[in-house]
Amino acid sequence: MFIGHFALGFAAKRASPRTSLALLFAAAQFADLLWPVLVAIGLEQVRIDPGNTAFTPLEFVSYPYSHSLVMLVVWGVVLAAMAGVVSGFGRTSVVIALLVVSHWLLDWITHRPDMPLYPGGARYGLGLWNSVPATIAIEAALFAAGVWIYAKSTRARDAVGRWSFIAFVVALAVIYAGNVLGGPPPSVTALWIVAILGGVLLTGWSFWFDRHRLEP
Ligand SMILES: [Zn+2]
């Protein structure tokens, strides 16, 4: 899943209005931010395999540290503790921990049975990705709901807060459409480079426009 994770980050703004949207996205996307780094250094493996499911040309051979349920609980606790040390333990920490773990649930719904419970453990997945229309319908509905909740939970302070937010939503939709319509990545190296750069860019962008929006 891709924009579905952003949907939960957007929606979490309502539960934790003083937390930067960038941090909420980083929590919901933590598995996918860590994953390309671990692929780059060879700790996790992915293979380009067009037709692996109808939706993705990737075979997730092994990703125990970024995508197992137990490790995501660990990462969730670590990030929640870090947020707690910086800004005090409270609702923010709980929201961050839940967002990190939510990644496993959403990926479990979409992936083939390749999502490990713990490193080396049994792998699960409901395989929504076997149907392109069902994947798009569910993910787009989640995304629309998340964007709507964020738009209702904040208001633009200036033109950046309005237009940069709208441009970000459009950009995510365009990237998603590109994933659906485009071919497989040329190489695993290209895949992790684009994933790391994309993760940094989107997180930074969300930090920018979120600072230009206020609680209503
Ligand atoms: Zn993922």
Side-chain angles (χ1 to χ4, degrees), residues 1 5 29 31-32 35 63 66-67 103 107 111 115:
M1 193 166 273
H5 299 300
Q29 282 278 81
D32 287 353
W35 173 71
Y63 47 7
S66 67
H67 275 75
H103 194 102
D107 278 6
H111 286 219
M115 294 290 296

Side-chain angles (χ1 to χ4, degrees), residues 9-207:
F10 270 130
K13 187 74 176 178
R14 183 173 173 167
S16 191
R18 287 200 188 84
T19 310
S20 169
L21 183 65
L23 186 55
L24 300 173
F25 280 162
Q29 282 278 81
F30 184 75
D32 287 353
L33 294 175
L34 181 62
W35 173 71
V37 176
L38 297 182
V39 168
I41 63 178
L43 270 180
E44 298 194 338
Q45 283 82 39
V46 63
R47 206 167 66 83
I48 294 164
D49 175 29
N52 188 271
T53 58
F55 194 83
T56 184
L58 303 179
E59 180 191 357
F60 299 99
V61 178
S62 170
Y63 47 7
Y65 308 108
S66 67
H67 275 75
S68 69
L69 177 59
V70 166
M71 284 307 296
L72 281 169
V73 170
V74 170
W75 291 123
V77 169
V78 169
L79 292 192
M82 286 166 60
V85 167
V86 172
S87 59
F89 287 89
R91 186 184 278 244
T92 302
S93 291
V94 175
V95 168
I96 285 173
L98 290 176
L99 283 173
V100 173
V101 177
S102 78
H103 194 102
W104 196 90
L105 287 174
L106 291 186
D107 278 6
W108 166 68
I109 292 168
T110 44
H111 286 219
R112 293 190 340 166
D114 61 25
M115 294 290 296
L117 270 189
Y118 52 90
R123 290 148 62 100
Y124 298 92
L126 297 182
L128 178 63
W129 272 347
N130 288 315
S131 166
V132 173
T135 300
I136 295 173
I138 289 176
E139 211 169 349
L142 264 179
F143 187 62
V147 168
W148 189 78
I149 291 169
Y150 176 80
K152 289 280 164 196
S153 306
T154 59
R155 67 186 161 80
R157 190 151 65 80
D158 53 22
V160 170
R162 170 167 296 120
W163 296 109
S164 179
F165 162 53
I166 292 172
F168 180 88
V169 170
V170 171
L172 275 188
V174 168
I175 293 168
Y176 189 63
N179 282 345
V180 176
L181 300 172
S187 68
V188 168
T189 304
L191 175 64
W192 65 251
I193 290 175
V194 169
I196 290 174
L197 290 178
V200 170
L201 185 89
L202 291 173
T203 308
W205 189 352
S206 67
F207 180 78

